[in-house]
Amino acid sequence: MEELLLFWLPQAVTELPGEERGDAPGTLLRYLHAAQLADPHGPALQESLAAVDAAAEQHPAAMTDPSRVGLARFWATTAAVQGVDVLNGAALQRFAERAQRVEVAYAEQALDAIMERRMAGRALSDAARAEPQLPVVLPPDGELCRRAEELAIVTQFRGLAEWARHDGRAVTATGRLWMADPRELVDMLGTGDNAEAVRSSADLPRLGLLVDCPGLPAQRL
């Protein structure tokens, strides 16, 4: 968690002006444990969440530390600061072409430091894997796609999309599913929640990870 929050995210993730920082690590951890995908030999959920909290105070400073920025984030941030819509592929491509012609201003020293680190192969973090990773031979792309389509989470999201259909489904004033819908979804998606013993869809944790629309009154899923 410390490596993710203080090294990988600052290096790879671009935060645009006005964006609200989310609880990505905590959400991921809760999902892994709820879906029983967490390492059974790893720490308990609360211990992992405590590690997130411990590193969270240093995270904002790490995100603004120029020495931790990766190459892609450097150029995306530079473009955003100069008013380029980085979510617009065409606009970003035009900026890249101007940068290649040295027609845009940028922090030369920061870029030199990033390139030096890349060329030297130096990692930002000293953290190492607990166990060495042995080489593996991956199957062809077609086989990988076939296996990906068979994953439970992919099947569940596909089923949810088919259930919601193009026009969507109505939700309550607090953004929750009506109870008749969760009972149908729990069975259809095979989440394993006990829909018969609860009074609100908020009490169905595994389904809630797939369908999360709190605070959206009068909206449709």
Side-chain angles (χ1 to χ4, degrees):
M1 289 301 101
E2 180 178 342
E3 183 178 6
L4 174 69
L5 287 169
L6 303 186
F7 296 98
W8 190 86
L9 289 177
Q11 175 176 295
V13 176
T14 301
E15 289 187 341
L16 300 178
E19 276 190 332
E20 182 178 352
R21 185 174 295 134
D23 178 31
T27 300
L28 174 60
L29 286 169
R30 292 183 183 92
Y31 166 74
L32 292 176
H33 281 267
Q36 298 181 344
L37 296 174
D39 182 356
H41 301 292
L45 173 59
Q46 292 306 317
E47 186 177 347
S48 296
L49 292 175
V52 172
D53 293 339
E57 294 183 2
Q58 305 173 57
H59 178 62
M63 289 297 294
T64 58
D65 184 349
S67 69
R68 306 191 185 203
V69 174
L71 185 61
R73 184 187 171 196
F74 171 84
W75 283 115
T77 302
T78 300
V81 168
Q82 297 185 21
V84 177
D85 181 3
V86 298
L87 300 179
N88 184 316
L92 194 57
Q93 179 61 34
R94 289 193 295 270
F95 173 83
E97 293 171 353
R98 287 167 43 220
Q100 292 174 348
R101 297 193 299 266
V102 198
E103 296 176 359
V104 299
Y106 62 90
E108 295 186 26
Q109 291 185 342
L111 179 60
D112 289 344
I114 293 172
M115 295 306 299
E116 180 182 355
R117 189 173 66 237
R118 285 171 61 90
M119 295 297 292
R122 294 199 306 270
L124 284 172
S125 170
D126 294 330
R129 292 182 181 272
E131 298 178 0
Q133 301 299 299
L134 299 177
V136 296
V137 177
L138 294 177
D141 289 346
E143 176 65 13
L144 288 175
C145 290
R146 186 189 67 78
R147 294 185 186 182
E149 290 178 354
E150 294 177 351
L151 291 174
I153 185 66
V154 175
T155 302
Q156 289 175 330
F157 275 126
R158 185 184 294 117
L160 180 62
E162 293 173 353
W163 174 83
R165 299 192 299 271
H166 178 72
D167 294 331
R169 297 280 187 132
V171 295
T172 68
T174 58
R176 300 290 181 184
L177 293 171
W178 296 101
M179 271 310 296
D181 291 335
R183 292 192 178 99
E184 177 185 357
L185 283 172
V186 164
D187 182 60
M188 184 179 72
L189 303 180
T191 65
D193 290 303
N194 185 0
E196 301 301 326
V198 298
R199 300 179 61 182
S200 167
S201 62
D203 299 322
L204 302 171
R206 293 184 181 178
L207 180 63
L209 291 168
L210 295 171
V211 186
D212 187 7
C213 48
L216 297 176
Q219 295 289 322
R220 297 179 70 83
L221 174 64

